[in-house]
């Protein structure tokens, strides 16, 4: 079994637009004698001749038995074989990998490293690319998938989800189940709760789940605005590692968001303010749910006595802004104030 197409095969025209329904013809090298290609690693499903790309110019998995070199001609959906866009001969020279090649060292060049014991090494993975990731098997390597998937549903993790960012961006509560005996060790999922509501990570029978900082095996509840990674570190053993940095803007007027949804913001208002006046401040980041509290402190250069007659009072706040009341003589001024606010 040999994989013919290279990872992420998409053909485009001179303007960079996908070659919708382009056609790939496969022949014996140096000839125009057609050869069979297959859609599966077991070579049970024969492709049509030619193999046709989808509307985005993407070709499906293409396998061949590897017994000889193969030539490929590529034409547009209405193209002429006499004037192909590509005529590659051989097409699979760099991608032919057999189990027998491991012992004789040929695999070293293909993989880019030397196995610990080449004489006894065994090639166990199906070298394969699939543009429909849901069809992947646990012993396959390599696939193309969308980087972000919205999952506002009850869901069981699939190979199609691997290494994607799974986002819940509505207000619902859902259960996402980790199935047993499905993923190779090392597979992971990026998780982001982008709205209110919770997601419970539920263990299938035989699955262990723990946090990165402890050994307790239990289901985990992802709070609103949580962000982290779920990764399989051993057979059926998963670790949930929060993005402890969260989203952050470390500037004069900035904020940080913790994985549990807690948000803290701060800023400086600079400008001459007379006493007995109210100044509005718009938050750098609007609180998705609510602002829970705020404080403000007046600022003034040097050591002025005037501040003993002044004070800063939070006059009101909501999810987007706050009002600071500068209490003091209306005939005097201060240079501004520093504020903080927190919420979720």
């Amino acid at each position: 079994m040999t994989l013919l197409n290279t990872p992420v095969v998409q053909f485009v025209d001179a303007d960079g637009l996908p070659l919708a329904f382009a056609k790939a013809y496969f022949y014996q090298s140096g000839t125009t004698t057609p050869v069979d290609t297959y859609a599966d690693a077991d070579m049970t499903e024969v492709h049509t001749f030619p193999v046709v790309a989808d509307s985005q110019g993407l070709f499906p998995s293409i396998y061949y038995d590897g017994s000889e070199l193969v030539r490929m001609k590529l034409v547009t959906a209405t193209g002429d074989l006499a004037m192909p866009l590509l005529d590659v001969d051989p097409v699979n020279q760099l991608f032919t990998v057999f189990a027998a090649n491991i012992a004789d060292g040929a695999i070293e060049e293909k993989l880019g490293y030397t196995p610990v014991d080449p004489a006894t090494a065994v090639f166990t993975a199906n070298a394969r690319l699939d543009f429909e990731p849901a069809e992947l098997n646990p012993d396959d390597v390599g696939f193309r998938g969308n980087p972000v998937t919205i999952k506002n549903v009850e869901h069981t993790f699939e190979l199609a989800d691997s290494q994607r960012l799974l986002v819940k961006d509505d207000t619902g509560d859902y259960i996402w189940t980790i199935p047993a005996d499905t993923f190779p060790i090392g597979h992971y999922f990026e998780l982001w709760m982008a709205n209110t509501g919770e997601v419970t990570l539920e263990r299938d029978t035989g699955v262990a789940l723990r946090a990165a900082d402890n050994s307790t095996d239990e289901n985990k509840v992802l709070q609103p605005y949580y962000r982290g990674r779920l990764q399989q570190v051993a057979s059926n053993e998963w670790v949930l590692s929060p993005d402890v940095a969260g989203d952050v803007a470390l500037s004069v007027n900035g904020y940080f968001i913790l994985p549990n949804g807690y948000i803290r913001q701060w800023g400086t208002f600079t400008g001459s303010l007379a006493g007995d006046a109210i100044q509005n401040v718009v938050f750098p980041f609007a609180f998705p749910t609510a602002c829970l509290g705020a404080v403000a402190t007046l600022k003034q250069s040097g050591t002025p006595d005037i501040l003993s007659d002044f004070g800063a009072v939070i006059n009101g706040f909501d999810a987007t802004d706050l009002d600071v009341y500068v209490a003091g003589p209306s005939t005097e001024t201060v240079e501004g104030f520093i504020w903080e606010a927190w919420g979720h």
Side-chain angles (χ1 to χ4, degrees), residues 21-26 37-38 47-53 59-62 73-75:
F21 310 112
K23 300 175 182 178
Y25 294 80
F26 294 92
T37 59
Y38 301 86
H47 271 306
T48 59
F49 184 86
V51 182
V52 180
F59 280 89
S61 301
I62 302 173
K73 282 190 173 186
L74 177 74
V75 299

Side-chain angles (χ1 to χ4, degrees), residues 276-281 294-296 311-318 321-327 337:
D276 195 26
I278 295 177
Q279 177 63 47
N280 179 258
V281 172
V295 295
V313 179
I314 301 299
N315 186 251
F317 56 80
D318 58 23
D321 60 349
L322 61 79
D323 290 325
V324 176
Y325 171 59
V326 179
F337 55 84

Side-chain angles (χ1 to χ4, degrees), residues 147-148 164-167 189-194 222-230 240-247 257-261:
V148 177
R164 295 186 182 186
L165 174 60
L166 305 184
V167 178
F189 313 96
E190 302 289 353
L191 309 176
W192 183 20
M193 307 298 102
L222 308 184
Q223 301 293 332
Y225 310 105
Y226 173 94
R227 185 155 186 177
R229 172 180 288 193
L230 177 66
L240 183 64
S241 304
D243 178 3
V244 294
D247 192 6
I257 307 174
L258 295 182
N260 63 5

